[in-house]
């Protein structure tokens, strides 16, 4: 069966054609007809089938650690919520949701908490993600509305990417932009990011600014436009207010190119080039993401960008506008239903005139006491503070992992541990948050769930349920509705299908909205029957009587959603990061994503292919800082920050600025015990949006000097307890296709490995090679002639590529004994004559760095040539930027080498 659905990862929202046999997914490919991707998929999307499967899933509800049936679980949730409210007031209960829920799940949860439990404390992980963009759109346009769409990136003359690593985090959009640039050489791309990312591969200009200096940069740009006569006076006059105040604020700082360049720490010529390009083009899209949003002044930064667009009349046209790109598959859907604590429902805030009354009547909560809350609830960070103070005593978490993703996360964990009632709806058994759950509710997952999501360009698409959930896992909307039933709200939650929920949601958007004041209006989708809902083709909101086919672009007539119809320019006074550097913590910490992992790794780390690109937690450091701190590439090191530490492998990188380090946000407790990056960050937030400052921590860095390092490769399902996690100073778990790799390091200078293997590993050590002087060792163990483990003590730099070993473990799992010719190769860990191919660059075809470098040295000096020889970069294209940098590095090395040689001569 082939079914069209939508990818569950990033906010690009690619259409996917999934093939299944009724039991499992047999393949995925890009949907050629979907307007987000036209058939393309990135590596995460194309690996979807590998991350599914029933193993590692939650399949039974649990109450206080005991498996129970659904009726018991649901009744217990209802009873305990009721009891908490009875004893401590209605606001003692809270919910924490996620942009990975479907719109239908989200709508029902929002309705239950705000409407029927009467608590305003319902927030979402979008607070950590898009809250600043939301707040700024509302300030500027009067509504949380993204004006642009993906085509605008292709139609622009200039695309400015600010605080976005598009190549890794929105890869299909990046590919679209890249192709557009190939078709139209006049399209220019500027990248503004303190780090040289793979996105820079298509940049005509790169500004490696000082972290946090974006508002100063865009304020400077506004002043430059005014100075050079590049303001669109007519547009400003007709459609906006606030230009004078915005300019006055910008001019409070010295607006000479030199002064701005000095504050942003970039070359004045480059800055001026950017200003000139921006000021002189009309069709400019500025696409921004977490480098802007995740800041204690994120809202101002977004508005500083929007100011420049309004001042130049650069929006509401094809190829123009300030474009906040969303991260999660349904970050937008959550905003639409009102899932943020300061929202009520359907783009209405508590203070929107008449909103509380309107929603009360629509939900018919007027017959209830308590009825709707009368004002906003706590935003994520405050919410956890309120739990810490004992004001909130029951928390229901759905589809997010706050024990990893919140700042000052070790404190958050202490708070969760002390919270009297934690309910968790989750699909994976390895989510850290489950450690804190009193009640665990197993949820269905992608490919099982049925509903809608909205992508970054306001496009609503269907995610379709193809397979039955494993065990007793149930859909989130069903779980919430069942609890609502048991709380006595049966009539308002009598849903039998997500289509009914969608219909109610669509009706609310049009309810008393005849004037169209509320921009988010999908009343045109009211009344779809089951077949029409199932067949729904993707469509961009608003969808209503005026725009029955949807709306590609907003504000084309210059009318905004403010009371007077004018957009607002905002006076922005730049502020630096709140977390200051000190002698004890002298380095600026930047955190973010890697290409092949998704967030806290509960799903993507199940695919060995995706695990290959970056297998261990790491710390990226500038070469000079590494030298100063006596750090070698690939060595283990320790970061120490506001509320904890982090261990990872050093990657010395010219991509970093001096004095700054970068760590991935991904590693959870299942994959490493000591790489909890959220502990490094203090919980500073933007005062308007409440979004945490996840990009600007302060840390110290020092080498970790373990007495030993070891790599253990173990048969899957081996009968042993991984106690080595507790006894190692550092560990990382890396699943391979047929076995498990454990990377370990310990404090004690020497260990008797034979004793250790006998005590900890299943099977007899049968092969052993040890170099006592250097402490290096290789060994392997067998059970009845079948390979059971493989051990290497020494630096992992000496590790062979593990696919050969993986195959041997596959044979062992199939019950085969190791043939003697292969047994001889076992300590080497690879086939005779097979060179180690190095870390994986191309995940689709599993091509390693060393193989690529060799091919470049042999004369393959283009991506195409490499593709022809090794197949790298020929499938999803996500590794093309990395291939290009390798080509560049190798070419540069060759040139320097030649120069040195000729000097020597
Ligand atoms: N592979 C992958 N893709 C994803 C995700 C994932 O987990 N994995 N998550 C999805 C989600 S939810 C989101 S929100 C998006 C996020 O997508 P992005 O925002 O692109 O992701 P990040 O890597 O967090 O940060 C982007 C960049 O901001 C830069 N930055 C840091 N500080 C500053 C600064 O002060 N100024 C500027 N201009 N830049 C700065 C960082 O160096 C980084 O390169 O990705 C989505 N896509
Ligand atoms: N330092 C730092 N911190 C950050 C960021 C950063 O850049 N730096 N980025 C922030 C951003 S932008 C984001 S979006 C967050 C993301 O952070 P989280 O939301 O905490 O991360 P996920 O791993 O996506 O968590 C989603 C959980 O929901 C589960 N799940 C998936 N689908 C479903 C479903 O359908 N139903 C249910 N019930 N469960 C499901 C998954 O297994 C997983 O455990 O992290 C934020 N934190
Ligand atoms: S770009 Fe995003 S939506 Fe598209 S396939 Fe990749 S992860 Fe999925
Ligand atoms: Mo996000």
């Amino acid at each position: 069966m082939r079914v069209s659905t939508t990818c569950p990862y990033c906010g690009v929202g690619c259409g996917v054609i999934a093939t299944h046999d009724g039991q499992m997914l047999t393949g995925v490919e890009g949907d050629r007809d979907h307007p987000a991707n036209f058939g393309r998929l990135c590596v995460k999307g194309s690996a979807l089938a590998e991350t599914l499967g029933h193993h590692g899933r939650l399949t039974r509800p649990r109450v206080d650690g005991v498996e129970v049936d659904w009726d018991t679980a649901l009744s217990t949730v209802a009873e305990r919520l009721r009891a908490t409210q009875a004893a401590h007031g209605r606001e003692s209960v809270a919910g924490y949701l996620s942009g990975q829920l479907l719109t239908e799940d989200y709508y029902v949860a929002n309705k239950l908490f705000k409407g029927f439990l009467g608590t305003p404390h319902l927030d979402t992980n979008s607070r950590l993600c898009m809250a600043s963009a939301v707040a700024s759109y509302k300030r500027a346009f009067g509504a949380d509305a993204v004006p642009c769409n993906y085509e605008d990136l292709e139609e622009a003359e200039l695309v400015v990417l600010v605080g976005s690593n598009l190549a890794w985090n929105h890869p299909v959009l990046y590919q679209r932009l890249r192709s557009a640039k190939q078709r139209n050489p006049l399209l220019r791309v500027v990248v503004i990011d303190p780090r040289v990312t793979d996105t820079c591969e298509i940049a005509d200009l790169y500004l490696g600014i000082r972290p946090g200096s974006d508002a100063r940069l865009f304020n400077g740009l506004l002043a430059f436009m005014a100075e050079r006569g590049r303001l669109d006076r007519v547009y400003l006059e007709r459609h906006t207010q606030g230009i004078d105040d915005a300019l006055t604020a910008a001019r409070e700082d010295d607006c000479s190119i030199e002064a701005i360049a000095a504050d942003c720490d970039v070359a004045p010529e480059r800055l001026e080039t950017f200003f000139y390009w921006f000021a002189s083009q009309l069709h400019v899209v500025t696409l921004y993401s977490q480098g802007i949003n995740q800041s204690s002044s994120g809202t101002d930064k977004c508005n500083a960008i929007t100011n420049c667009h309004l001042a130049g009349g650069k929006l509401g046209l094809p190829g123009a506008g300030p474009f906040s790109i969303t991260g999660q598959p349904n970050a937008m859907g959550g905003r639409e239903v009102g899932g943020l604590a300061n929202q009520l429902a359907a783009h209405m805030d508590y203070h929107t005139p008449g909103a509380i009354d309107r929603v009360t009547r629509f939900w018919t909560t007027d017959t209830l006491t308590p009825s709707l809350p009368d004002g906003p609830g706590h935003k994520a960070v405050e919410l956890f503070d309120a739990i810490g103070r004992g004001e909130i005593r029951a928390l229901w978490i759905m589809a997010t992992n706050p024990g990893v993703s919140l700042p000052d996360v070790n404190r958050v964990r202490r708070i969760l541990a002390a919270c009297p009632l934690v309910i968790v709806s989750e699909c994976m058994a390895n989510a850290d948050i489950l450690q804190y759950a009193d009640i665990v509710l197993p949820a269905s997952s992608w490919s099982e769930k049925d509903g809608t999501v909205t992508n970054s360009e306001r496009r609503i698409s269907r995610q379709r349920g193809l397979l039955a959930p494993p065990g007793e896992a149930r859909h989130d909307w069903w779980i919430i509705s069942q609890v609502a039933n048991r709380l006595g709200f049966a009539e308002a939650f009598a849903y039998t299908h997500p289509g009914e929920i969608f219909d109610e949601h669509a009706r609310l958007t049009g309810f008393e909205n005849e004037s169209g004041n509320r921009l988010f209006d999908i009343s045109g989708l009211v009344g779809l029957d089951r077949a029409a809902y199932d067949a729904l083709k993707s469509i961009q909101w608003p969808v209503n009587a005026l725009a029955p086919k949807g709306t590609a672009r907003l504000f084309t007539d210059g009318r905004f959603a403010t009371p007077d119809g004018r957009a607002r320019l905002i006076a922005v006074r730049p502020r630096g990061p709140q977390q200051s550097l000190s002698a004890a913590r002298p380095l600026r910490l930047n955190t973010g994503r890697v290409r092949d992992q998704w967030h806290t790794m509960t799903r993507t780390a199940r695919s060995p292919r995706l695990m290959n690109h970056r297998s261990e937690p790491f710390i990226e450091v500038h070469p000079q800082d590494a030298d100063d701190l006596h750090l070698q590439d690939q060595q283990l090191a320790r970061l120490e920050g506001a509320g904890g530490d982090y261990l990872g492998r050093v990657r010395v990188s010219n991509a970093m600025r001096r004095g700054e380090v970068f760590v991935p946000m991904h590693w959870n407790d299942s994959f490493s015990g000591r790489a909890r990056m959220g502990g490094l960050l203090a919980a500073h937030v933007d005062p308007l949006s409440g979004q945490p400052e996840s990009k600007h921590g302060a840390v110290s860095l020092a080498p970790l000097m373990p007495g030993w390092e070891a790599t253990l490769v173990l048969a899957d399902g081996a009968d042993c307890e991984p106690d080595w996690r507790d006894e190692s100073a550092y560990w990382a778990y890396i699943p391979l296709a047929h076995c498990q790799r454990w990377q370990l390091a310990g404090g004690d200078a020497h260990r008797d490995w034979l004793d250790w293997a006998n005590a900890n590993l299943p099977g007899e050590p049968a092969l052993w090679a040890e170099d006592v002087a250097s402490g290096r060792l290789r060994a392997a163990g067998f059970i009845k002639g079948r390979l059971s483990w493989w051990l290497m003590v020494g630096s992992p730099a000496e590790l062979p590529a593990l696919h050969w070993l993986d195959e041997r473990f596959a044979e062992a799992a199939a019950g085969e004994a190791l043939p003697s010719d292969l047994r001889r190769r076992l300590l080497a860990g690879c086939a005779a004559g097979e060179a180690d191919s190095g870390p994986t660059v191309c995940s689709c075809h599993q091509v390693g760095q060393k193989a690529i470098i060799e091919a470049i040295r042999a004369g393959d000096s283009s991506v195409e040539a490499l593709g022809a020889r090794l197949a790298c970069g020929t499938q999803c294209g996500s590794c093309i930027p990395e291939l290009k940098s390798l080509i560049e590095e190798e070419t540069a090395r060759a040139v320097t080498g030649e120069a040195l040689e000729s000097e020597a001569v």
Side-chain angles (χ1 to χ4, degrees):
M1 280 272 289
R2 286 164 62 83
V3 180
S4 80
T5 179
T6 311
C7 175
Y9 293 123
C10 85
V12 178
C14 295
V16 169
I17 304 283
T19 324
H20 68 95
D21 59 10
Q23 299 294 318
M24 53 191 277
L25 210 67
T26 48
V28 287
E29 60 192 84
D31 182 348
R32 289 175 193 282
D33 296 328
H34 197 285
N37 56 319
F38 298 108
R40 294 178 177 92
L41 286 184
C42 79
V43 61
K44 289 185 300 304
S46 48
L48 265 168
E50 295 160 39
T51 60
L52 301 180
H54 289 186
H55 78 99
R57 285 290 298 275
L58 288 172
T59 53
R60 291 264 290 164
R62 277 202 309 262
V63 172
D64 301 328
V66 179
E67 287 192 351
V68 295
D69 58 33
W70 268 110
D71 190 45
T72 311
L74 296 164
S75 302
T76 313
V77 172
E79 276 159 25
R80 292 194 189 174
L81 289 178
R82 262 281 179 260
T84 307
Q85 286 195 314
H88 303 281
R90 62 178 182 170
E91 297 204 4
S92 62
V93 161
Y96 186 53
L97 313 186
S98 153
Q100 290 165 79
L101 291 169
L102 303 182
T103 299
E104 291 75 0
D105 302 326
Y106 236 131
Y107 176 87
V108 179
N110 192 53
K111 179 175 171 183
L112 174 63
F113 275 83
K114 292 177 185 161
F116 288 76
L117 288 168
T119 172
H121 305 309
L122 179 94
D123 207 37
T124 137
N125 69 354
S126 286
R127 187 68 62 195
L128 319 179
C129 180
M130 319 308 319
S132 297
V134 173
S136 80
Y137 276 148
K138 282 187 180 172
R139 281 207 294 186
F141 305 148
D144 171 22
V146 179
C148 319
N149 62 32
Y150 298 161
E151 268 174 22
D152 288 330
L153 291 170
E154 296 162 334
E155 291 183 24
E157 295 159 302
L158 174 66
V159 174
V160 187
L161 303 172
V162 199
S164 151
N165 184 7
L166 205 70
W168 280 12
N169 300 325
H170 299 94
V172 164
L173 211 49
Y174 174 81
Q175 299 287 346
R176 281 182 67 167
L177 181 58
R178 196 166 176 271
S179 316
K181 210 168 169 327
Q182 279 163 353
R183 285 195 304 273
N184 172 14
L186 297 179
L187 193 173
R188 287 201 184 105
V189 174
V190 177
V191 173
I192 306 180
D193 191 314
R195 243 169 15 120
V196 183
T197 61
D198 273 11
T199 304
C200 295
E201 188 233 337
I202 54 164
D204 297 283
L205 179 69
Y206 165 67
L207 298 178
I209 61 169
R210 186 193 310 283
S213 63
D214 304 81
R216 173 77 168 113
L217 183 91
F218 282 91
N219 261 2
L221 172 59
L222 186 69
F224 177 93
M225 290 164 72
E227 173 87 3
R228 303 289 173 103
R230 295 291 186 165
L231 299 181
D232 185 338
R233 286 283 170 199
V234 176
Y235 191 89
L236 284 169
E237 186 71 23
R238 287 201 187 139
H239 304 302
T240 73
Q241 12 170 300
I243 178 67
D244 293 342
D245 289 347
L247 262 178
T248 307
R251 286 174 172 152
E252 282 170 17
D253 294 306
D254 181 346
C255 282
S256 66
I257 292 286
E258 288 69 27
I260 303 165
D263 285 351
C264 300
D265 195 23
V266 291
E269 308 75 49
R270 283 173 170 253
L271 184 77
E272 191 165 17
T273 305
F274 166 56
F275 281 7
Y276 178 74
W277 286 357
F278 189 103
S280 51
Q281 305 280 18
L282 178 61
H283 299 276
V284 182
V285 174
T286 307
L287 179 145
Y288 52 96
S289 186
Q290 301 315 341
I292 291 292
N293 294 338
Q294 287 173 343
S295 150
S296 58
S297 55
T299 310
D300 277 353
K301 286 176 181 167
C302 297
N303 280 113
I305 293 171
T306 302
N307 282 348
C308 295
H309 280 270
L310 289 168
K314 302 175 209 284
L315 87 170
L317 314 160
F323 194 170
S324 149
I325 186 92
T326 56
Q328 298 179 88
N330 201 27
M332 291 284 260
R335 286 148 71 166
E336 289 152 20
V337 303
L340 290 158
N342 47 309
Q343 302 174 325
L344 180 52
H347 267 213
M348 285 173 275
D349 287 343
Y350 287 94
H351 64 254
T352 308
I356 295 185
D357 170 57
R358 183 179 306 123
V359 177
T360 302
R361 282 183 286 112
F362 185 83
W363 281 343
T364 62
T365 54
D366 38 355
T367 53
L368 295 173
T369 10
S371 186
L372 253 55
D374 48 16
H378 293 312
K379 304 181 173 106
V381 170
E382 293 167 6
L383 180 80
F384 282 85
D385 285 346
I387 303 173
R389 291 192 301 272
E391 292 162 22
I392 291 175
R393 306 180 58 88
L395 178 68
W396 189 347
I397 297 168
M398 302 180 202
T400 176
N401 216 346
V404 180
S405 51
L406 277 169
D408 201 1
V409 78
N410 295 317
R411 177 165 175 270
V412 168
R413 286 182 176 229
R414 289 192 294 275
I415 289 174
L416 281 167
C419 179
L421 176 59
V422 178
I423 305 162
V424 175
S425 299
E426 168 64 57
C427 24
M428 308 308 300
N430 67 357
D432 297 37
I433 195 63
L434 297 170
Q435 300 164 38
Y436 304 94
D438 301 288
I439 303 182
V440 175
L441 304 171
S444 59
S445 176
W446 184 80
S447 77
E448 300 146 15
K449 301 185 69 136
D450 206 10
T452 55
V453 290
T454 309
N455 75 0
S456 290
E457 55 167 3
R458 288 174 282 104
R459 181 178 296 284
I460 299 171
S461 297
R462 285 281 273 116
Q463 253 191 35
R464 293 190 172 86
L466 335 165
L467 303 171
E472 293 175 27
R474 294 283 183 276
H475 303 312
D476 287 295
W477 66 264
W478 181 88
I479 301 174
I480 305 158
S481 307
Q482 288 297 316
V483 168
N485 269 276
R486 285 164 175 75
L487 284 163
F489 313 128
E491 210 175 318
F493 292 86
Y495 310 113
T496 59
H497 187 269
E500 296 160 12
I501 304 168
F502 184 80
D503 188 62
E504 181 178 318
H505 165 57
R507 271 193 295 119
L508 178 54
T509 68
F511 184 58
E512 299 176 358
N513 192 17
E514 291 72 22
S515 58
N517 277 349
R518 283 164 13 232
L519 215 54
F520 175 59
D521 179 1
I522 53 168
S523 52
L525 298 175
V526 169
L528 302 180
D529 60 16
R530 185 77 57 85
Y533 176 73
D534 279 343
L536 185 68
K537 284 247 181 302
S538 80
I539 188 160
Q540 286 169 291
W541 64 258
V543 188
N544 51 22
L546 289 175
K549 296 226 159 77
T551 313
R553 212 165 271 117
L554 294 176
F555 315 127
T556 46
D557 57 358
R559 261 200 75 77
F560 293 86
T562 51
D564 59 8
R566 289 168 176 273
R568 305 284 191 270
L569 285 94
I570 305 290
V572 170
R573 295 186 169 77
R575 309 191 297 279
Q578 223 167 312
Q579 176 81 61
S580 35
L581 301 179
S582 64
R585 301 214 186 100
L587 296 170
R588 184 55 80 200
L589 172 75
N590 182 358
T591 64
R593 289 152 173 81
V594 304
R595 191 188 75 194
D596 293 2
Q597 290 301 337
W598 178 261
H599 294 167
T600 71
M601 292 170 62
T602 59
R603 290 176 290 164
T604 36
R606 293 157 66 88
S607 159
R609 180 153 76 99
L610 296 182
M611 207 61 200
N612 254 334
H613 178 240
R614 296 281 185 272
S615 306
E616 286 181 83
F618 62 85
I619 305 169
E620 253 167 31
V621 193
H622 186 272
Q624 194 66 52
D625 291 326
D627 261 7
D628 295 350
L629 295 163
H630 310 292
L631 285 169
Q632 307 285 329
D633 191 45
Q634 295 305 314
Q635 173 183 3
L636 289 170
R638 177 173 177 269
L639 287 171
E640 194 268 334
D645 66 355
Y646 169 104
L647 304 186
R649 215 167 273 290
V650 170
R651 293 176 67 92
V652 176
S653 164
N654 280 315
M656 299 301 297
R657 290 163 48 98
R658 268 200 85 176
E660 292 162 27
V661 292
F662 176 83
V663 301
M665 64 166 293
H666 305 290
W667 268 263
N668 72 16
D669 286 3
S670 303
F671 296 95
S672 181
R674 301 285 302 278
R676 204 176 286 156
M677 60 80 216
L680 296 170
L681 293 157
H684 296 299
V685 300
D686 178 296
L688 296 168
S689 68
Q691 179 152 0
E693 187 149 70
S694 314
K695 290 281 183 272
H696 309 307
V699 289
S700 64
L701 174 60
L704 188 78
M705 303 286 204
W708 50 262
E709 283 209 62
T711 308
L712 170 67
V713 186
L714 188 67
D716 261 342
D719 182 20
C720 59
E721 283 298 313
D723 288 337
W724 49 79
R725 286 183 299 206
D726 303 325
E727 59 191 44
S728 306
Y730 165 87
W731 63 267
Y733 165 59
I734 305 149
L736 302 179
H738 308 285
C739 54
Q740 322 172 350
R741 169 177 162 202
W742 293 83
Q743 205 55 54
L744 310 170
D748 41 339
H750 185 73
R751 170 180 269 186
D752 185 327
W753 286 99
L754 187 57
D755 276 0
W756 184 83
N758 279 323
N760 288 280
L761 302 177
E764 294 293 310
L767 284 173
W768 203 266
E770 189 165 8
D771 172 3
V772 179
S774 68
R776 280 147 69 206
L777 172 155
R778 288 191 184 204
F782 292 81
I783 300 177
K784 294 187 187 144
R786 275 180 283 135
L787 182 60
S788 153
W789 53 263
W790 184 92
L791 178 70
M792 182 190 99
V793 180
S795 161
E798 296 170 15
L799 207 60
L802 291 176
H803 59 87
W804 185 88
L805 267 176
D806 201 24
E807 285 166 29
R808 305 292 77 79
F809 277 97
E811 291 157 5
E816 294 169 30
L818 191 68
S820 58
D821 57 327
L822 295 181
R823 203 176 167 100
R824 267 184 277 119
R825 298 298 314 162
L826 197 57
L827 291 186
C830 60
E834 185 185 70
D836 164 16
S837 64
T840 308
V841 173
C842 169
S843 300
C844 296
H845 293 288
Q846 293 293 303
V847 187
Q849 196 188 53
K850 284 191 192 161
I852 294 168
I853 290 178
E854 267 167 31
I856 299 172
R857 288 184 183 160
D860 290 344
S861 57
S862 68
V863 170
E864 293 70 26
L866 287 173
R869 188 194 293 252
L870 302 168
C872 51
T874 53
Q875 193 165 324
C876 79
S878 300
C879 66
I880 290 176
E882 214 159 323
L883 296 177
K884 281 208 167 171
S885 1
L886 285 173
I887 294 171
E888 263 167 40
E889 270 170 36
E890 279 311 306
T891 322
R893 200 162 290 158
V895 172
T896 340
E898 277 166 26
L900 287 177
E901 269 171 33
S902 63
E903 266 171 36
V905 172

